[in-house]
Amino acid sequence: MEHKTGLEDYYIIKNNKKLRFGYTTGTCAAAAAKGAAEMLLGGGEIREIPLMTPKGILLNLGLLDIQREDNAVSCAVRKDAGDDPDTTDGLLIYARVEKMDTEQWKKQRDSLVKKNRSEKNHSSCLKDDTEISEIAPQIVLEGGVGVGRVTKRGLSQKIGEAAINPVPKAMILKATEETADKYHYEGQMKITISVPEGEKIAQKTFNPRLGIQGGISILGTSGIVEPMSETALIESIRVEMSQKRAEGMEYLLVTPGNYGADYLREHMDLPFEKNIKCSNYVGETIDMAVNMGAKGILFVAHIGKFVKVASGIMNTHSHSADARMETLCANAIRAGGSLACAKEVLDCNTTDEALAVLKKHGILEETMKYLMDRIQFYLNHRSYQQILLGAVVFSNEFGYLGQTESAAELIEKLQGTQDE
């Protein structure tokens, strides 16, 4: 009989397709820890374990590669991202749960304290006596092979800590504590989460940009992966922005995608390594910057996306809105374009094709001036003019097209950060 996880009836319909839900690396780690603790304290062997997720969905997850030692048990849960394009899909997430007697616990604690006080690079995930134990009964949680270590400020964990986010950490400790209570175990335990393939897979994630080295992050706020989740994408932008702010960046450099990043690197004298990718979420990026106390954002963007901002469209994904040709047409008319020119623009399929029409009619430069004015207006409108916002807009075929009124000031501010 096929194993049922409890997610069989959970899905969304997108573009007329049924997309399955999955579960996070944090859920896998918590389930593996619970299963290992159950076998360690209960003495038997189990092949699946129930786990309630923060989202309120009860899962029943299979336990793999069970290994037993004298005072420890380890097992793994395989990550299933459902139909979400997740690079961690299929990875085995391991938990090793070990009993420690009082003397062993004290030695472990003293050793960790000494190590943290002596190592300037903060390589251990523990900082002082108060952080040695997540009291749940005296359970210490560590990251092992394939779990990344934090090397930059601005994340949920301190420098040197394992990249196990707060919600997964709470899930792991709660699941293990409940198992200890079930068996009336009052001693100390150590949990080590590891991901054998984590270091290799991490190179395909945002971790290197965020300064997380040596492996993946153990993630998840709900315990459940919703396919093509906008929430997850926006959260990744928030995390990267939070890090930049923690590094002292008051003025942020943002590119919507790879085109913007390539143009920035090849054509602009700005700190490329400090850019943040916002994908289609222009409005959310501005909102987050305001809330984090940033002083400004310079967007470096391809016209195919940012022409929409000139109509007040702050999510530039084609499924949310288009209006590219209508916006170009309206500004072409402002620039003195003829009815014939307007009709030609409206019949175009791509922005580069429309730009060629504007150039043919001799109004490309003037149209871009009007377009930049409208982009500036709607950027300011989104932030209620609480921060300085601007944009540099380009085309792959036509190159630099223009910049908004505040762009020059933002460029100057960002150039001043290059040597910091």
Side-chain angles (χ1 to χ4, degrees):
M1 178 182 287
E2 184 180 352
H3 175 76
K4 292 190 175 182
T5 65
L7 282 178
E8 287 72 22
D9 296 328
Y10 290 89
Y11 59 88
I12 63 170
I13 303 294
K14 193 156 189 172
N15 299 331
N16 299 317
K17 292 182 180 178
K18 185 176 178 179
L19 302 177
R20 298 181 302 114
F21 279 30
Y23 41 87
T24 64
T25 51
T27 291
C28 294
K34 184 179 180 182
E38 177 75 33
M39 289 183 279
L40 177 64
L41 301 178
E45 185 168 298
I46 55 176
R47 291 292 174 179
E48 54 187 44
I49 194 78
L51 183 79
M52 179 59 74
T53 61
K55 194 173 180 68
I57 298 174
L58 178 64
L59 299 180
N60 192 43
L61 301 179
L63 301 177
L64 305 170
D65 196 14
I66 298 166
Q67 302 288 332
R68 186 178 292 277
E69 305 169 38
D70 289 342
N71 287 308
V73 172
S74 70
C75 63
V77 171
R78 191 177 298 281
K79 166 72 181 291
D80 180 0
D83 287 322
D84 196 62
D86 189 331
T87 55
T88 64
D89 186 46
L91 285 183
L92 286 175
I93 313 297
Y94 282 80
R96 181 180 185 274
V97 180
E98 175 187 3
K99 286 182 183 179
M100 291 190 292
D101 60 33
T102 302
E103 289 304 313
Q104 185 183 9
W105 168 261
K106 287 179 179 178
K107 287 179 182 179
Q108 171 87 2
R109 180 194 61 193
D110 293 345
S111 173
L112 287 168
V113 171
K114 183 178 179 180
K115 185 177 182 181
N116 279 279
R117 288 174 179 170
S118 65
E119 292 188 1
K120 292 182 179 179
N121 64 0
H122 307 291
S123 62
S124 173
C125 69
L126 305 170
K127 296 296 172 201
D128 55 42
D129 299 59
T130 60
E131 293 178 4
I132 294 298
S133 175
E134 296 284 351
I135 301 299
Q138 288 189 292
I139 297 170
V140 64
L141 174 61
E142 295 184 354
V145 172
V147 174
R149 291 273 167 180
V150 174
T151 66
K152 293 182 180 180
R153 291 163 47 202
L155 301 177
S156 301
Q157 306 83 14
K158 296 178 181 179
I159 291 175
E161 289 185 347
I164 302 175
N165 276 17
V167 172
K169 182 181 288 188
M171 291 172 66
I172 294 164
L173 294 170
K174 180 183 178 184
T176 312
E177 179 184 20
E178 288 175 349
T179 306
D181 288 345
K182 173 182 174 182
Y183 290 101
H184 308 291
Y185 178 76
E186 296 181 354
Q188 292 81 27
M189 288 192 291
K190 181 173 76 172
I191 308 165
T192 304
I193 305 300
S194 59
V195 187
E197 297 295 312
E199 187 169 4
K200 180 174 71 175
I201 295 298
Q203 300 307 311
K204 301 176 183 179
T205 72
F206 269 97
N207 278 11
R209 284 175 66 96
L210 298 176
I212 298 172
Q213 302 295 332
I216 66 166
S217 300
I218 304 300
L219 299 172
T221 54
S222 69
I224 299 297
V225 176
E226 296 186 26
M228 312 296 286
S229 171
E230 288 193 357
T231 302
L233 287 171
I234 293 169
E235 174 62 13
S236 71
I237 300 166
R238 187 199 67 76
V239 169
E240 191 168 7
M241 186 182 294
S242 174
Q243 185 181 67
K244 294 292 188 290
R245 291 289 295 121
E247 292 172 352
M249 284 194 69
E250 296 181 320
Y251 294 90
L252 304 173
L253 183 56
V254 175
T255 56
N258 291 331
Y259 285 159
D262 291 344
Y263 185 86
L264 171 64
R265 182 178 56 246
E266 295 168 12
H267 300 288
M268 300 189 72
D269 181 25
L270 290 174
F272 170 79
E273 71 283 354
K274 295 183 178 180
N275 87 88
I276 300 168
K277 287 187 181 178
C278 73
S279 185
N280 296 295
Y281 306 106
V282 177
E284 287 85 352
T285 298
I286 294 171
D287 296 345
M288 286 186 280
V290 171
N291 289 333
M292 290 185 194
K295 291 185 177 179
I297 303 175
L298 177 69
F299 292 92
V300 178
H302 188 277
I303 191 170
K305 284 189 180 294
F306 244 62
V307 65
K308 301 176 186 181
V309 176
S311 287
I313 297 167
M314 291 290 155
N315 183 329
T316 60
H317 198 289
S318 58
H319 289 301
S320 294
D322 191 352
R324 291 168 302 153
M325 302 312 153
E326 290 81 358
T327 304
L328 285 170
C329 178
N331 286 281
I333 291 171
R334 285 193 178 104
S338 65
L339 179 60
C341 172
K343 286 181 177 179
E344 277 190 70
V345 169
L346 288 173
D347 287 338
C348 291
N349 291 316
T350 68
T351 49
D352 277 338
E353 186 183 351
L355 295 177
V357 171
L358 297 176
K359 185 175 182 179
K360 181 181 73 173
H361 285 269
I363 58 169
L364 176 58
E365 186 175 338
E366 193 66 18
T367 301
M368 289 302 105
K369 288 180 182 177
Y370 282 105
L371 193 75
M372 297 306 128
D373 287 344
R374 300 314 297 165
I375 290 173
Q376 186 72 67
F377 173 83
Y378 281 111
L379 290 176
N380 290 342
H381 179 71
R382 180 67 181 219
S383 73
Y384 297 104
Q385 297 187 329
Q386 294 178 80
I387 62 175
L388 190 66
L389 296 167
V392 173
V393 181
F394 67 93
S395 152
N396 289 346
E397 184 173 337
F398 291 87
Y400 174 84
L401 294 172
Q403 62 190 53
T404 67
E405 182 182 3
S406 298
E409 183 179 353
L410 284 160
I411 289 170
E412 184 178 348
K413 299 283 189 186
L414 285 161
Q415 285 175 334
T417 70
Q418 291 197 87
D419 298 326
E420 294 179 4

